[in-house]
Amino acid sequence: MQQTNTIVETETQIPLGWRERLSPSKINKIPGRYNLPRMFRKSGHSTKQMREPAGSTRSVAALQTSFKITDTFELLRTRRWSVFDVQHVVLAGLCIFSIWIIEPSAPIIKTAAALGYLLLLLMPITRQFFLPSWPIWTYLLYFFSSRFIPYDVRPDIFVKVLPALEDILYGTNFSSTFAKWTNPVLDVFAWFPYGLGHFGLPAICSAIMFIFAAPGTVPMFAKSFGWMSTLGVSIQLFFPCTPPWYERLHGLEPAKYGMQGSPAGLARIDALFGVDMYTTSFTTAPVPFGAFPSLHAADAILEALFISYCFPKLKGLCIFYVCWICWATMYLNHHYAVDLLGGGIIAYSFFFVVRKFWLPRPQPGKTYRWQYEYVEVGEKGKNKALDEELGYGHVGAGKRSIDYANEFTVLDSFMHSGSSSGSSSPTTSIRSDRSNRRTD
């Protein structure tokens, strides 16, 4: 009888620890960031989407290959619209305005061009590139069509404002100082960033970030670049100011619309190579009195911020390039130092907002975009529900992922729980949980 009691007592004591571990309250404690039903309830996805098999999860680095316009219409039909979609209305309005004021009218050509771009936005294989870059194309169209805005509706041109600000802020005119001593070597040295890098570097940076940065970085760079440049042109149109070359040629005499622009120091490059690369284009520039803000400085600073964020080891090179092009703008007599300050403030403002909310974070040990299994956006430790601007795909099979190829899919399926900083991979957590179980 005593032996029987001992056996019963032993059987009662052995499972006690396991009963506590296997209790429903312990089993159901799934971290909030990996609790799929909770994530889908927050993001508005249906139960049918949540039950998709693991094989249906799309790679974060995958690209669209479909030409079916019906796929885009289906995405538009099921899209959860938000206030961020106003951006597309603004872009469409700017495009219509720019096309409308261009002369000659040529309605057939304009309509064909608009329908052609609309087709690029509707086909998934082209939409993934032309939707995020739409602000850039809008900026270019807006800039080149601004020459057709009637003079009688434009504001007066400010001739004395920038020189006065230059004296107040710095006590001297840096542009005049740098432009006093010129020689062919310095001309070529200034020409590289101002006349070449400004036009080619955005495409080079985009290609580098597309291959080596986290998926989704290039769409955010394109949107930032386009909207920043569009804002810059708008400021130049509503606050027209004369550049340093005007002060050198005309002093502080009042400026009038219709006056020709000037290549300033770039004319020496044309004379040096015997080719008209800049004289004609700058003489007939659409915005000859667009000194403030300097888009040369703004573009370079935005590129440097994105590159240094994605590749911290290149920060020194980025700082050097920004200083290089800023010096070149003043040496070539195209901008005051205050113009560079204005461009820098605008560029950093755009980057600050994008980095805080939408820019994908680089992950240690990931060299190429195809090595990313998941992508996290915004600053670490921020609990936020993302907007529907970029195109995040749904979550499947316990892993958070982004479908950057679908620009019209919902973005807010990326939810961060209150107990998580959002910096760990679901796969890693599952493995660590299994390891803990083994040690038990």
Side-chain angles (χ1 to χ4, degrees):
M1 189 68 181
Q2 185 176 358
Q3 185 179 2
T4 306
N5 290 339
T6 304
I7 294 173
V8 171
E9 194 173 292
T10 306
E11 289 179 350
T12 305
Q13 290 175 355
I14 289 174
L16 281 178
W18 291 100
R19 284 180 181 178
E20 184 180 353
R21 294 175 184 275
L22 296 176
S23 63
S25 61
K26 296 287 184 181
I27 294 175
N28 291 332
K29 273 194 174 182
I30 302 174
R33 63 181 182 275
Y34 307 138
N35 192 329
L36 293 181
R38 175 183 174 185
M39 294 168 67
F40 278 96
R41 281 198 304 271
K42 284 185 179 182
S43 59
H45 289 286
S46 64
T47 307
K48 186 181 294 184
Q49 287 176 318
M50 188 179 63
R51 291 175 182 171
E52 289 189 355
S56 65
T57 303
R58 190 178 178 86
S59 169
V60 295
L63 297 176
Q64 286 281 351
T65 57
S66 172
F67 287 89
K68 294 182 180 178
I69 298 178
T70 54
D71 293 347
T72 300
F73 285 127
E74 179 62 21
L75 289 172
L76 288 171
R77 186 183 67 81
T78 59
R79 176 172 172 78
R80 294 175 66 245
W81 300 95
S82 72
V83 66
F84 289 95
D85 293 304
V86 175
Q87 64 174 311
H88 301 123
V89 178
V90 175
L91 290 175
L94 283 174
C95 289
I96 294 173
F97 167 77
S98 301
I99 293 175
W100 177 61
I101 64 175
I102 291 177
E103 297 178 0
S105 57
I108 297 178
I109 297 176
K110 292 180 180 180
T111 303
L115 292 177
Y117 197 85
L118 180 62
L119 181 63
L120 294 175
L121 294 179
L122 292 177
M123 291 190 298
I125 192 172
T126 53
R127 184 188 69 233
Q128 60 193 334
F129 300 108
F130 285 92
L131 184 59
S133 64
W134 191 6
I136 297 179
W137 303 113
T138 302
Y139 147 66
L140 294 174
L141 179 63
Y142 182 42
F143 173 75
F144 286 105
S145 65
S146 61
R147 68 171 75 245
F148 298 103
I149 298 177
Y151 296 156
D152 55 353
V153 299
R154 297 192 186 192
D156 295 334
I157 302 170
F158 296 93
V159 177
K160 303 178 181 179
V161 172
L162 295 184
L165 288 176
E166 191 89 348
D167 291 334
I168 294 172
L169 294 176
Y170 310 111
T172 186
N173 190 325
F174 284 108
S175 181
S176 298
T177 303
F178 289 136
K180 284 181 180 178
W181 297 280
T182 63
N183 62 68
V185 176
L186 290 178
D187 292 341
V188 174
F189 187 66
W191 167 60
F192 273 110
Y194 193 89
L196 297 179
H198 173 69
F199 301 100
L201 202 59
I204 296 174
C205 291
S206 298
I208 293 173
M209 289 187 289
F210 179 81
I211 298 173
F212 300 105
T217 303
V218 175
M220 292 316 306
F221 172 71
K223 287 175 178 286
S224 304
F225 189 93
W227 280 109
M228 179 195 69
S229 301
T230 303
L231 175 63
V233 172
S234 299
I235 295 175
Q236 292 172 354
L237 291 175
F238 287 98
F239 182 59
C241 297
T242 55
W245 59 258
Y246 182 89
E247 184 180 2
R248 179 174 56 84
L249 295 176
H250 306 284
L252 298 179
E253 296 178 1
K256 298 179 181 178
Y257 291 107
M259 299 177 66
Q260 290 186 338
S262 171
L266 289 176
R268 298 194 296 270
I269 297 296
D270 287 354
L272 181 65
F273 293 104
V275 180
D276 184 1
M277 292 186 289
Y278 303 103
T279 301
T280 301
S281 59
F282 275 84
T283 301
T284 60
V287 189
F289 303 120
F292 183 89
S294 170
L295 288 182
H296 277 77
D299 293 350
I301 292 172
L302 186 71
E303 292 156 6
L305 289 171
F306 269 87
I307 291 295
S308 59
Y309 174 82
C310 298
F311 316 104
K313 293 182 179 180
L314 298 179
K315 184 178 293 185
L317 180 62
C318 293
I319 294 174
F320 169 76
Y321 179 77
V322 169
C323 296
W324 187 12
I325 195 171
C326 287
W327 166 81
T329 60
M330 294 183 288
Y331 172 80
L332 295 173
N333 220 215
H334 279 266
H335 286 286
Y336 294 100
V338 68
D339 305 336
L340 312 179
L341 177 63
I345 292 174
I346 294 175
Y348 184 78
S349 300
F350 271 88
F351 176 77
F352 176 81
V353 174
V354 170
R355 181 189 61 185
K356 185 173 183 178
F357 295 105
W358 302 298
L359 188 60
R361 297 203 298 267
Q363 298 175 10
K366 304 294 176 64
T367 306
Y368 305 99
R369 63 178 281 119
W370 299 278
Q371 295 177 336
Y372 282 77
E373 298 176 357
Y374 65 99
V375 175
E376 297 162 309
V377 299
E379 292 183 348
K380 294 182 179 180
K382 300 294 181 182
N383 299 323
K384 56 188 177 297
L386 302 177
D387 61 87
E388 299 179 0
E389 173 197 9
L390 243 186
Y392 285 66
H394 52 71
V395 180
K399 180 186 291 186
R400 294 179 301 169
S401 62
I402 307 177
D403 185 1
Y404 280 102
N406 281 334
E407 281 283 339
F408 285 112
T409 53
V410 293
L411 188 82
D412 56 354
S413 61
F414 233 163
M415 307 293 293
H416 295 266
S417 68
S419 61
S420 161
S421 64
S423 59
S424 60
S425 166
T427 309
T428 306
S429 295
I430 293 171
R431 287 175 182 169
S432 159
D433 185 45
R434 288 177 181 170
S435 300
N436 292 335
R437 281 192 227 161
R438 289 195 192 101
T439 56
D440 294 331

Short mmCIF file of all heavy atoms in Angstrom, two decimals, residues 12-29 440:
data_model
loop_
_atom_site.label_atom_id
_atom_site.label_comp_id
_atom_site.label_asym_id
_atom_site.label_seq_id
_atom_site.Cartn_x
_atom_site.Cartn_y
_atom_site.Cartn_z
N THR A 12 1.77 12.45 -9.82
CA THR A 12 1.13 13.76 -9.62
C THR A 12 2.16 14.88 -9.69
O THR A 12 1.89 15.95 -10.21
CB THR A 12 0.42 13.80 -8.25
OG1 THR A 12 -0.47 12.71 -8.18
CG2 THR A 12 -0.34 15.12 -8.09
N GLN A 13 3.36 14.63 -9.24
CA GLN A 13 4.36 15.70 -9.20
C GLN A 13 5.02 15.94 -10.54
O GLN A 13 5.38 17.06 -10.86
CB GLN A 13 5.44 15.33 -8.17
CG GLN A 13 4.93 15.39 -6.74
CD GLN A 13 5.97 14.93 -5.75
OE1 GLN A 13 7.04 14.47 -6.17
NE2 GLN A 13 5.67 15.03 -4.46
N ILE A 14 5.22 14.91 -11.34
CA ILE A 14 5.95 15.06 -12.61
C ILE A 14 5.27 16.06 -13.55
O ILE A 14 5.93 16.94 -14.09
CB ILE A 14 6.14 13.69 -13.29
CG1 ILE A 14 7.15 12.87 -12.48
CG2 ILE A 14 6.60 13.83 -14.73
CD1 ILE A 14 7.30 11.44 -12.97
N PRO A 15 3.96 15.98 -13.81
CA PRO A 15 3.35 16.88 -14.81
C PRO A 15 3.08 18.28 -14.32
O PRO A 15 2.57 19.09 -15.07
CB PRO A 15 2.05 16.18 -15.18
CG PRO A 15 1.99 14.93 -14.38
CD PRO A 15 3.01 15.02 -13.30
N LEU A 16 3.33 18.58 -13.05
CA LEU A 16 2.91 19.89 -12.54
C LEU A 16 3.52 21.03 -13.35
O LEU A 16 2.85 21.98 -13.73
CB LEU A 16 3.32 20.03 -11.07
CG LEU A 16 2.39 19.32 -10.07
CD1 LEU A 16 2.93 19.49 -8.65
CD2 LEU A 16 0.99 19.86 -10.18
N GLY A 17 4.82 20.99 -13.63
CA GLY A 17 5.46 22.05 -14.41
C GLY A 17 4.93 22.15 -15.83
O GLY A 17 4.75 23.23 -16.37
N TRP A 18 4.62 20.99 -16.40
CA TRP A 18 4.13 20.99 -17.78
C TRP A 18 2.70 21.50 -17.86
O TRP A 18 2.30 22.09 -18.85
CB TRP A 18 4.22 19.58 -18.36
CG TRP A 18 5.62 19.16 -18.57
CD1 TRP A 18 6.37 18.36 -17.76
CD2 TRP A 18 6.47 19.55 -19.64
NE1 TRP A 18 7.62 18.21 -18.25
CE2 TRP A 18 7.72 18.92 -19.43
CE3 TRP A 18 6.31 20.35 -20.77
CZ2 TRP A 18 8.79 19.08 -20.28
CZ3 TRP A 18 7.37 20.50 -21.63
CH2 TRP A 18 8.59 19.89 -21.38
N ARG A 19 1.93 21.23 -16.82
CA ARG A 19 0.55 21.75 -16.84
C ARG A 19 0.54 23.27 -16.89
O ARG A 19 -0.26 23.89 -17.57
CB ARG A 19 -0.18 21.28 -15.58
CG ARG A 19 -0.60 19.82 -15.64
CD ARG A 19 -1.32 19.43 -14.37
NE ARG A 19 -1.70 18.05 -14.40
CZ ARG A 19 -2.32 17.43 -13.38
NH1 ARG A 19 -2.60 18.12 -12.28
NH2 ARG A 19 -2.63 16.15 -13.47
N GLU A 20 1.47 23.86 -16.14
CA GLU A 20 1.55 25.32 -16.15
C GLU A 20 1.98 25.86 -17.51
O GLU A 20 1.45 26.85 -18.00
CB GLU A 20 2.53 25.78 -15.08
CG GLU A 20 2.62 27.31 -14.94
CD GLU A 20 3.61 27.71 -13.87
OE1 GLU A 20 4.11 26.81 -13.16
OE2 GLU A 20 3.86 28.92 -13.77
N ARG A 21 2.92 25.16 -18.14
CA ARG A 21 3.41 25.61 -19.45
C ARG A 21 2.38 25.43 -20.55
O ARG A 21 2.35 26.18 -21.51
CB ARG A 21 4.69 24.86 -19.83
CG ARG A 21 5.88 25.16 -18.93
CD ARG A 21 7.06 24.30 -19.30
NE ARG A 21 8.17 24.51 -18.40
CZ ARG A 21 9.08 25.46 -18.51
NH1 ARG A 21 8.99 26.30 -19.53
NH2 ARG A 21 10.05 25.60 -17.64
N LEU A 22 1.55 24.38 -20.42
CA LEU A 22 0.58 24.07 -21.47
C LEU A 22 -0.78 24.65 -21.18
O LEU A 22 -1.75 24.30 -21.85
CB LEU A 22 0.47 22.55 -21.63
CG LEU A 22 1.74 21.84 -22.09
CD1 LEU A 22 1.54 20.34 -22.12
CD2 LEU A 22 2.15 22.34 -23.46
N SER A 23 -0.89 25.52 -20.21
CA SER A 23 -2.19 26.13 -19.91
C SER A 23 -2.61 27.03 -21.07
O SER A 23 -1.77 27.62 -21.75
CB SER A 23 -2.10 26.94 -18.62
OG SER A 23 -1.19 28.00 -18.78
N PRO A 24 -3.90 27.18 -21.33
CA PRO A 24 -4.38 28.01 -22.45
C PRO A 24 -3.89 29.45 -22.40
O PRO A 24 -3.61 30.06 -23.41
CB PRO A 24 -5.91 27.94 -22.30
CG PRO A 24 -6.16 26.68 -21.55
CD PRO A 24 -4.99 26.50 -20.63
N SER A 25 -3.74 29.99 -21.18
CA SER A 25 -3.27 31.39 -21.08
C SER A 25 -1.86 31.54 -21.58
O SER A 25 -1.48 32.57 -22.14
CB SER A 25 -3.37 31.86 -19.64
OG SER A 25 -2.54 31.06 -18.81
N LYS A 26 -1.01 30.47 -21.40
CA LYS A 26 0.37 30.53 -21.87
C LYS A 26 0.45 30.28 -23.37
O LYS A 26 1.21 30.90 -24.10
CB LYS A 26 1.24 29.51 -21.13
CG LYS A 26 1.37 29.77 -19.65
CD LYS A 26 2.27 30.96 -19.39
CE LYS A 26 2.48 31.16 -17.90
NZ LYS A 26 3.35 32.33 -17.65
N ILE A 27 -0.34 29.31 -23.83
CA ILE A 27 -0.28 28.94 -25.25
C ILE A 27 -0.75 30.09 -26.13
O ILE A 27 -0.21 30.36 -27.20
CB ILE A 27 -1.13 27.68 -25.52
CG1 ILE A 27 -0.48 26.49 -24.80
CG2 ILE A 27 -1.25 27.41 -27.01
CD1 ILE A 27 -1.29 25.22 -24.90
N ASN A 28 -1.76 30.82 -25.69
CA ASN A 28 -2.35 31.87 -26.52
C ASN A 28 -1.59 33.18 -26.46
O ASN A 28 -1.98 34.16 -27.04
CB ASN A 28 -3.79 32.13 -26.10
CG ASN A 28 -4.69 30.97 -26.45
OD1 ASN A 28 -4.40 30.24 -27.40
ND2 ASN A 28 -5.76 30.77 -25.68
N LYS A 29 -0.48 33.22 -25.70
CA LYS A 29 0.30 34.45 -25.61
C LYS A 29 1.22 34.58 -26.81
O LYS A 29 2.40 34.30 -26.74
CB LYS A 29 1.10 34.48 -24.32
CG LYS A 29 0.32 35.06 -23.15
CD LYS A 29 1.24 35.38 -22.00
CE LYS A 29 0.47 36.09 -20.90
NZ LYS A 29 1.35 36.47 -19.78
N ASP A 440 14.08 23.45 -22.19
CA ASP A 440 13.22 23.03 -21.09
C ASP A 440 13.23 21.52 -20.97
O ASP A 440 12.76 20.98 -20.01
CB ASP A 440 11.78 23.53 -21.30
CG ASP A 440 11.70 25.04 -21.23
OD1 ASP A 440 12.55 25.64 -20.53
OD2 ASP A 440 10.81 25.61 -21.88
#
